[in-house]
Amino acid sequence: MDENGQQDDAAELVIWGRSAGPSLGQFIVQFRNLRPNGKYAVLGQVGTTPNGSDLGQTGTIGSAPGGAWCSETFTGTNIWAALVYRAGGHQYVQAAQGYVEGRKQ
């Protein structure tokens, strides 16, 4: 969404998980470029603290429709992720934050 509430579905933020043993899961954050729309000033960050980038940072997510970038692997941690870019004179932001449980339920 941009500052005026306009939605742009040309990119997405995905959290992937997999089993890392009987009681652990490993996770990565992926930024995906789904559709060309003239994105520029791309900034993606993933960290264990708000505005952190200790799990990775990128200034590009590759060409659509297959472009993507992934964070470092993490297990059972606080996560903050944000993807920001400009297109068509608007700035778009997608963010996620919270605790990712490292145990299978």
Side-chain angles (χ1 to χ4, degrees):
M1 306 285 273
D2 74 4
E3 62 275 9
N4 298 316
Q6 181 178 353
Q7 185 171 341
D8 180 60
D9 61 354
E12 67 182 356
L13 187 159
V14 182
I15 299 176
W16 294 94
R18 70 176 182 174
S19 175
S23 63
L24 290 176
Q26 289 183 326
F27 301 88
I28 60 169
V29 173
Q30 183 179 52
F31 302 133
R32 296 176 57 189
N33 191 358
L34 304 176
R35 177 173 60 82
N37 69 337
K39 295 174 193 70
Y40 65 96
V42 174
L43 175 63
Q45 291 180 289
V46 182
T48 56
T49 59
N51 299 311
S53 60
D54 54 302
L55 296 173
Q57 178 172 313
T58 184
T60 182
I61 50 176
S63 299
W69 172 91
C70 292
S71 72
E72 296 292 326
T73 301
F74 59 96
T75 302
T77 186
N78 287 299
I79 187 71
W80 179 90
L83 176 63
V84 180
Y85 64 88
R86 295 193 66 81
H90 296 275
Q91 178 171 290
Y92 295 91
V93 178
Q94 176 65 41
Q97 63 184 36
Y99 184 81
V100 178
E101 179 62 53
R103 299 177 194 275
K104 292 178 11 180
Q105 301 293 324

